[in-house]
Amino acid sequence: MIVMKFGGTSVESAEAIERVAKIVASRGKRSPVVVVSAMAKVTDQLVAMGQQASSGNCEVALESLQALRQRHHLTAGELLGKKRAATLAPKLEARFSELENFLRGLAAVRELTPRGSDFLLSFGELLSSLIVADAFIVRGLNAAWVDSRECLVTDASHTRAVPQMAETRERCAKKIAPLISRKQIPLMGGFIAATAQGVPTTLGRGGSDYSAAILGAALDAESIEIWTDVEGMMTTDPRLCPAAKTIKQISFNEAAELAYFGAKVLHPATLLPAIHQNIPVYVLNSRNLKSTGTEITAQAPPSKDTFRAITAKTGISIVNVVASRGIMVHGFLRSVFEALDRHSTSVDIVAISEVSMSFTMETRRLPKALLTELEELADVTPEDKQAIICLVGEDIHGKPGIAASVFNTVAESGVNIRMISQGASEINISFVVQESDVPKAVRHLHEHFFPAAGQVKLGRTKVKTNGSPRRSQAPESKSRQTERKPLVAKSKSAERKAAGAS
Ligand code: ASP
Ligand code: MG
């Protein structure tokens, strides 16, 4: 038995749903259970409607409701033909009138609670799953629509509810397993669930992947397939570097690191229920039926390339904090960290020397009040338009020469490095450059670390090989053996040494 999840873009239109039916049909023999998201953008629209209604703009919210209604009926009509669409229409209408009543209620009380928000957002997946189930049936697939709220049990932390696995397992055994034994294809909306008492909840935005992982774990699936609109996880962003290729296999930790540093395909934390049970997760392209995609497992076989992937996260600020004269050094660091704590700021990379400290964080999350507070302690210079480039690979620790070749490659591309971090997680090397330098640096690094088949780049010359690519063996500035887990990033001078920069 396998779980197949299709995201918003995979069910955004009749044409897309048509493709989904074909993909599921191709897996018919493997007893698929299907999870779908709301049609693309619908959840965002529901959020907006909630805000409008609860701030008194009920008419505007109802106009959006009308557009939503038309889109769903239109899609159903295109997929189902007149007769079948006419039998589905009242079921959709029942949901729309429920939604309309709710919006009017919001406008009356002028308040949208987290509990209300979960109820509101549940409509996206309810509507899409009803349409997809009928589209399957019309195409000869023996689909059975299942109400996710009767199967996925969570606690009551609305908007980010936590699954209760034991109860979920029981419910799935009762509601879903019998359908599978009858050779039916259970089909349900992702993202939505309910408490044991039946109060609707959601698993947090983007939560359909989470639903798929929870179901996979609860039903002891052989594998979980996450169908998206890209060719799996890539060695880097193909928009930055057309030579990017699909990563065939990746470990859960590597995938998590990539997501944190900018890869947007999926949120690996949501896969944890499956990973804990050793169920492999595949990320596949719904626009390409033959896609083999990326396999994510708890442990992945070593890659033949040094790294698994390179990501870039833009929109970063560096904040340099230099102690004013006369401040005790240990007191200085403590005060800076306390200030960060008071503002609940989480930083990405930190570099510390005796009297100065630099940290990075997303510019949009940098609180002005934090800067004001730090200015009382020190000289503070924030610099925006920076980016973090991160190279991820589980096999890099304990191997000499890797950092040196990363920084040599960046130096060769003529890009200046502002900050470096290596070792904190053992599976990544990350550094900060100016945002505008990202394409150049990433392209160079990708060319160096992911050479096209049969070619490996050593320094500036390309050498033909007939086996696996060789790695350059330049010594690193410090032995990794004695420096397995530095608490903070390397200093600027170590960086210059390593990069051989002038
Ligand atoms: N529809 C939900 C969202 O947009 C869940 C999902 O798509 O995964 O957040
Ligand atoms: Mg998603």
Side-chain angles (χ1 to χ4, degrees):
M1 183 249 130
I2 62 172
V3 175
M4 306 177 76
K5 178 257 167 175
F6 295 89
T9 51
S10 303
V11 295
E12 69 185 350
S13 61
E15 197 191 338
I17 295 172
E18 192 89 60
R19 275 196 297 269
V20 168
K22 287 207 179 94
I23 293 170
V24 172
S26 77
R27 299 288 199 269
K29 290 212 174 67
R30 302 188 63 194
S31 307
V33 171
V34 178
V35 177
V36 295
S37 289
M39 295 175 79
K41 307 237 163 64
V42 168
T43 311
D44 287 339
Q45 285 159 2
L46 290 167
V47 170
M49 285 153 68
Q51 278 159 358
Q52 289 151 357
S54 60
S55 56
N57 285 331
C58 196
E59 289 315 310
V60 183
L62 292 179
E63 270 167 37
S64 309
L65 172 72
Q66 194 51 28
L68 214 60
R69 188 180 241 139
Q70 273 167 5
R71 179 175 175 194
H72 284 85
H73 282 300
L74 204 77
T75 309
E78 283 177 52
L79 281 164
L80 305 179
K82 266 214 178 97
K83 234 166 119 197
R84 183 90 200 186
T87 58
L88 179 64
K91 286 194 214 164
L92 298 180
E93 265 319 299
R95 303 288 170 184
F96 284 117
S97 63
E98 212 180 341
L99 180 54
E100 181 172 336
N101 289 339
F102 181 72
L103 291 171
R104 290 189 191 280
L106 281 185
V109 296
R110 300 276 176 108
E111 187 194 10
L112 179 56
T113 61
R115 186 169 168 154
S117 165
D118 277 352
F119 176 72
L120 172 65
L121 298 197
S122 70
F123 284 94
E125 270 72 9
L126 288 173
L127 291 163
S128 68
S129 60
L130 285 168
I131 295 175
V132 176
D134 266 22
F136 277 17
I137 291 167
V138 167
R139 280 156 190 77
L141 291 164
N142 194 3
W145 184 81
V146 173
D147 191 338
S148 330
R149 298 166 302 183
E150 293 176 2
C151 301
L152 267 70
V153 184
T154 66
D155 68 4
S157 8
H158 287 284
T159 75
R160 287 194 86 82
V162 180
Q164 310 292 297
M165 283 312 288
E167 279 185 279
T168 300
R169 200 170 249 282
E170 258 175 49
R171 300 268 189 107
C172 288
K174 226 190 305 168
K175 303 252 172 207
I176 301 179
L179 298 172
I180 302 174
S181 351
R182 287 205 297 272
K183 303 235 174 311
Q184 288 193 281
I185 300 175
L187 186 141
M188 57 212 276
F191 173 61
I192 52 182
T195 63
Q197 291 72 38
V199 179
T201 56
T202 64
L203 300 168
R205 291 301 308 271
S208 294
D209 296 338
Y210 203 9
S211 300
I214 295 165
L215 280 172
L219 290 161
D220 296 314
E222 283 156 43
S223 64
I224 295 168
E225 298 181 346
I226 306 284
W227 290 85
T228 65
D229 56 356
V230 292
E231 204 55 50
M233 298 184 84
M234 309 281 285
T235 50
T236 195
D237 186 340
R239 285 164 304 183
L240 284 178
C241 179
K245 19 181 207 183
T246 298
I247 303 169
K248 296 259 177 290
Q249 291 170 304
I250 190 168
S251 75
F252 172 75
N253 283 337
E254 290 169 330
E257 201 86 351
L258 285 179
Y260 183 73
F261 284 107
K264 294 205 180 69
V265 178
L266 84 176
H267 234 292
T270 60
L271 306 181
L272 267 175
I275 299 294
H276 278 148
Q277 268 175 243
N278 259 326
I279 302 170
V281 177
Y282 296 87
V283 183
L284 299 157
N285 183 357
S286 66
R287 289 169 199 281
N288 172 13
L289 258 151
K290 296 204 179 76
S291 151
T292 51
T294 303
E295 182 192 40
I296 307 172
T297 45
Q299 248 109 40
S303 61
K304 79 176 177 1
D305 300 308
T306 310
F307 291 103
R308 212 66 92 165
I310 306 170
T311 60
K313 184 170 170 180
T314 52
I316 297 290
S317 282
I318 299 183
V319 181
N320 302 300
V321 190
V322 181
S324 321
R325 275 170 204 281
I327 288 207
M328 293 285 288
V329 171
H330 69 275
F332 164 68
L333 289 179
R334 193 188 57 216
S335 318
V336 175
F337 279 112
E338 279 173 358
L340 288 171
D341 184 47
R342 264 195 300 282
H343 292 272
S344 315
T345 38
S346 70
V347 298
D348 291 318
I349 296 182
V350 183
I352 292 178
S353 75
E354 279 163 304
V355 289
S356 67
M357 169 179 162
S358 302
F359 62 84
T360 67
M361 57 187 295
E362 286 174 49
T363 306
R364 65 192 172 94
R365 290 181 197 268
L366 182 63
K368 260 237 140 61
L370 169 70
L371 296 179
T372 316
E373 202 171 307
L374 290 174
E375 270 159 13
E376 284 168 21
L377 304 169
D379 297 327
V380 182
T381 42
E383 299 171 63
D384 62 358
K385 300 207 165 46
Q386 307 294 313
I388 299 175
I389 294 180
C390 174
L391 294 95
V392 173
E394 216 147 53
D395 306 324
I396 57 173
H397 69 89
K399 276 193 197 137
I402 292 174
S405 73
V406 169
F407 299 126
N408 277 329
T409 308
V410 178
E412 271 177 29
S413 73
V415 168
N416 185 37
I417 295 179
R418 307 290 315 280
M419 271 170 83
I420 294 181
S421 160
Q422 190 216 318
S425 84
E426 293 209 337
I427 66 167
N428 87 57
I429 296 178
S430 31
F431 55 89
V432 181
V433 300
Q434 264 187 10
E435 220 169 57
S436 55
D437 282 335
V438 164
K440 204 159 45 166
V442 168
R443 271 200 288 272
H444 261 78
L445 286 164
H446 195 274
E447 200 182 317
H448 185 89
F449 287 105
F450 300 92
Q455 260 189 349
V456 59
K457 206 177 173 215
L458 288 175
R460 286 177 190 282
T461 44
K462 283 189 177 167
V463 181
K464 286 259 180 204
T465 63
N466 42 16
S468 60
R470 277 159 54 198
R471 294 177 183 128
S472 77
Q473 291 290 314
E476 233 179 292
S477 59
K478 259 190 191 173
S479 157
R480 297 288 303 283
Q481 318 302 15
T482 55
E483 204 200 21
R484 279 289 292 280
K485 263 201 169 175
L487 283 175
V488 295
K490 287 180 180 173
S491 69
K492 198 78 182 155
S493 64
E495 164 198 330
R496 263 186 239 114
K497 250 188 261 161
S502 51

